[in-house]
């Protein structure tokens, strides 16, 4: 997947103290920026909603590059944009950016859930398309709304529901909404967006993929499977104890066990929306 340099509004809330887990010493708090497209006729209604919600926003005029932009960051693991989505993107006459404040790890689920739900309210009101600038990911309008419904359903506090079921459903919906993976280069495959959920991203060298998955018919699909399983594990089962650097992981008994080490996030400036202040988990070697 080709990723372009991010030219959206950068985060500006600098943090001097270390996070509760391993993290960069000096960094910027994650910030969610969503880009929505719509029609000028819906601007007044959208603006009323934005002001009522007291959210930072910025309107812009039609941008002819948007179809290419949405296509370039479509979720590679499960693409969902249809012809009708691209037609709506092409026909837009209004661009809207909504921005969160920088938020700490402890507020990650709350902030990311609120922005998913609010962004989808805008999609239901007059916006026709949405992408997340903070992780470089786009879904179809229908896919966003489906994830929003899952988020609402699993945010329920109905007493008959098990807490584990609610939490697992919530973080799965948020992970699927915000995290782009696997992004590839000649050297590595990696994810982007786990910082929005208060956790490190993941990365694996292409050479290790070739070695560990030598018999695979679809190495990229297997990397996606590995990333999905590990990230959901980190978000859920390991949320309290935290996975320790140097530990091992394998998503199932058929998959080779891999050593995982923590490292700093590299490749993005510290004030870039893609930068992960919580670092990255690198699958570093095959475990003996």
């Amino acid at each position: 997947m080709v990723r372009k340099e991010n030219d959206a509004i950068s985060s500006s809330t600098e943090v001097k103290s270390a996070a509760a887990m391993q993290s960069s010493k000096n960094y910027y708090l994650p910030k969610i920026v969503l880009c929505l497209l719509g029609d000028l006729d819906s601007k007044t209604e959208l603006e009323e909603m934005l002001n009522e919600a007291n959210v930072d926003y910025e309107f812009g005029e039609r941008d002819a590059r948007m179809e290419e932009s949405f296509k370039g960051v479509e979720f590679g693991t499960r693409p969902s944009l249809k012809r009708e989505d691209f037609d709506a993107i092409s026909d837009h006459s209004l661009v809207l950016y909504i921005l969160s404040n920088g938020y700490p790890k402890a507020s990650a689920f709350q902030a990311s859930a609120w922005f998913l739900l609010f962004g989808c309210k805008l999609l239901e009101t007059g916006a026709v398309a949405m992408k997340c600038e903070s992780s470089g990911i786009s879904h179809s309008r229908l896919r966003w709304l489906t994830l929003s419904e899952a988020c609402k359903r699993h945010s329920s506090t109905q007493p008959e529901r098990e807490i584990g079921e609610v939490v697992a459903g919530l973080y799965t919906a948020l992970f699927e909404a915000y995290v782009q993976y696997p992004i590839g280069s000649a050297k590595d495959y990696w994810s982007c967006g786990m910082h929005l959920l208060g956790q490190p991203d993941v990365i694996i060298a292409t050479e290790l993929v070739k070695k560990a998955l030598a018999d695979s018919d679809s190495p990229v699909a297997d990397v996606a499977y590995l990333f999905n399983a590990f990230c959901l594990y980190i978000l859920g089962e390991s949320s309290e104890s935290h996975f320790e650097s140097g530990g091992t992981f394998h998503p199932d008994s058929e998959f080779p066990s891999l050593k995982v080490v923590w490292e700093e996030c590299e490749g993005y400036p510290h004030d870039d929306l893609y930068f992960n202040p919580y670092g990255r988990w690198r699958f570093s070697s095959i475990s003996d």
Side-chain angles (χ1 to χ4, degrees):
M1 175 172 291
V2 177
R3 285 286 294 272
K4 296 184 177 180
E5 290 297 321
N6 180 23
D7 58 359
I9 302 168
S10 295
S11 172
S12 60
T13 308
E14 191 171 5
V15 178
K16 298 298 184 183
S17 60
M21 61 179 296
Q22 291 164 307
S23 65
S24 302
K25 293 180 180 178
N26 295 295
Y27 60 89
Y28 291 73
L29 283 171
K31 173 181 285 190
I32 295 175
V33 179
L34 299 179
C35 171
L36 297 101
L37 306 181
D39 190 285
L40 282 171
D41 293 340
S42 63
K43 182 177 181 181
T44 299
E45 188 174 5
L46 291 172
E47 196 159 20
E48 289 176 356
M49 293 178 62
L50 292 161
N51 291 330
E52 183 178 349
N54 194 30
V55 63
D56 289 337
Y57 67 89
E58 179 180 311
F59 281 113
E61 298 178 349
R62 183 181 188 281
D63 188 336
R65 301 169 297 176
M66 280 297 175
E67 184 172 354
E68 180 182 353
S69 176
F70 271 73
K71 187 180 298 183
V73 296
E74 184 174 12
F75 182 37
T77 298
R78 196 189 305 178
S80 58
L81 290 165
K82 309 293 186 185
R83 184 64 259 167
E84 55 265 31
D85 294 298
F86 287 114
D87 288 343
I89 292 168
S90 180
D91 290 341
H92 80 277
S93 55
L94 182 72
V95 178
L96 167 64
Y97 290 96
I98 61 173
L99 305 84
S100 78
N101 293 320
Y103 56 84
K105 175 184 174 65
S107 302
F109 272 15
Q110 180 181 8
S112 57
W114 190 92
F115 264 76
L116 173 59
L117 295 176
F118 184 68
C120 287
K121 282 185 180 180
L122 298 176
L123 284 176
E124 293 175 320
T125 300
V128 298
M130 183 168 77
K131 62 188 174 90
C132 178
E133 300 284 2
S134 304
S135 56
I137 191 169
S138 65
H139 304 287
S140 68
R141 180 178 181 275
L142 177 60
R143 177 70 174 150
W144 280 117
L145 295 176
T146 300
L147 291 169
S148 174
E149 286 302 312
C151 184
K152 284 189 285 188
R153 184 169 65 252
H154 292 293
S155 297
S156 169
T157 56
Q158 297 174 26
E160 66 272 16
R161 301 189 64 194
E162 294 290 336
I163 295 298
E165 176 191 347
V166 173
V167 173
L170 176 60
Y171 70 64
T172 298
L174 295 175
F175 173 74
E176 293 183 0
Y178 287 110
V179 182
Q180 178 71 277
Y181 69 96
I183 305 162
S185 70
K187 182 181 177 183
D188 294 301
Y189 293 103
W190 66 96
S191 69
C192 182
M194 286 290 283
H195 61 309
L196 304 180
L197 307 182
Q199 294 289 344
D201 274 288
V202 288
I203 186 168
I204 187 171
T206 55
E207 287 302 314
L208 179 57
V209 172
K210 293 176 184 177
K211 182 179 179 181
L213 303 173
D215 298 328
S216 173
D217 294 330
S218 181
V220 175
D222 284 338
V223 169
Y225 171 59
L226 172 65
F227 283 9
N228 178 284
F230 184 77
C231 288
L232 292 180
Y233 167 72
I234 290 297
L235 288 168
E237 296 179 41
S238 187
S239 60
E240 295 300 325
S241 60
H242 304 306
F243 186 86
E244 292 187 4
S245 183
T248 60
F249 181 84
H250 58 105
D252 60 51
S253 60
E254 302 298 319
F255 211 98
S257 183
L258 300 172
K259 184 178 179 180
V260 189
V261 296
W262 184 89
E263 66 180 28
E264 294 272 357
C265 177
E266 297 180 351
Y268 308 122
H270 283 204
D271 60 350
D272 194 288
L273 288 170
Y274 294 162
F275 178 76
N276 192 327
Y278 310 114
R280 301 186 299 198
W281 290 115
R282 177 177 287 277
F283 297 95
S284 62
S285 61
I286 301 174
S287 178
D288 296 332

